[in-house]
Amino acid sequence: EELIVYENLPINRYVLRNSVTGDEKVAIFNDKQEKQSENFFDKVNNVELDVKEKMPLLEWLANNFKSFGTQLNFVTNKSQEGSQFCKGFGGIGGILRYQVDFGTLDADDDDDDAAF
């Protein structure tokens, strides 16, 4: 229902294109990840990925949040609670529409491990 985002979220959204296969993928990188060249390289085809689009994730969310049926709320890090949110959740979080039973999710994960 609600998406909560730090007002100065330092994360960018990329659309990367593989010039060999023509495939496109969306990638989300922080400043540190943007400096790592391996994030822009396809090891399978041994080719550098073309940056088709780059925009701040915050801007993309502001333009697209309605299409996901959610509300967008901004948080500042100038309050104790806002600072804790930014440090604890990395500046992005949400309030879910439906309750999640994590016990059930853990049980499913255990079943998958047993198969191997």
Side-chain angles (χ1 to χ4, degrees):
E1 290 270 343
E2 292 187 46
L3 183 60
I4 306 165
V5 183
Y6 171 48
E7 65 185 356
N8 293 317
L9 189 69
I11 296 174
N12 287 311
R13 179 186 185 272
Y14 285 85
V15 176
L16 302 173
R17 185 177 184 278
N18 186 318
S19 60
V20 173
T21 64
D23 292 341
E24 291 185 359
K25 72 174 188 175
V26 174
I28 309 294
F29 297 131
N30 61 27
D31 294 337
K32 184 178 177 182
Q33 293 167 322
E34 286 179 331
K35 294 175 184 169
Q36 298 171 345
S37 60
E38 63 267 14
N39 289 328
F40 298 90
F41 193 80
D42 178 12
K43 295 175 186 173
V44 174
N45 294 302
N46 200 30
V47 65
E48 186 174 338
L49 300 172
D50 300 324
V51 176
K52 185 174 176 185
E53 182 182 318
K54 174 188 175 185
M55 75 174 5
L57 180 60
L58 184 63
E59 181 181 333
W60 187 87
L61 290 170
N63 292 335
N64 294 284
F65 74 95
K66 289 182 181 177
S67 65
F68 296 101
T70 188
Q71 295 177 355
L72 183 61
N73 298 297
F74 296 101
V75 173
T76 181
N77 66 348
K78 295 179 180 157
S79 68
Q80 181 179 354
E81 294 85 358
S83 179
Q84 185 177 2
F85 174 82
C86 292
K87 290 177 184 175
F89 294 108
I92 190 165
I95 299 174
L96 302 176
R97 182 176 305 169
Y98 304 104
Q99 183 176 352
V100 176
D101 183 359
F102 290 104
T104 303
L105 293 175
D106 289 340
D108 289 344
D109 290 342
D110 292 342
D111 293 343
D112 291 341
D113 293 339
F116 292 108

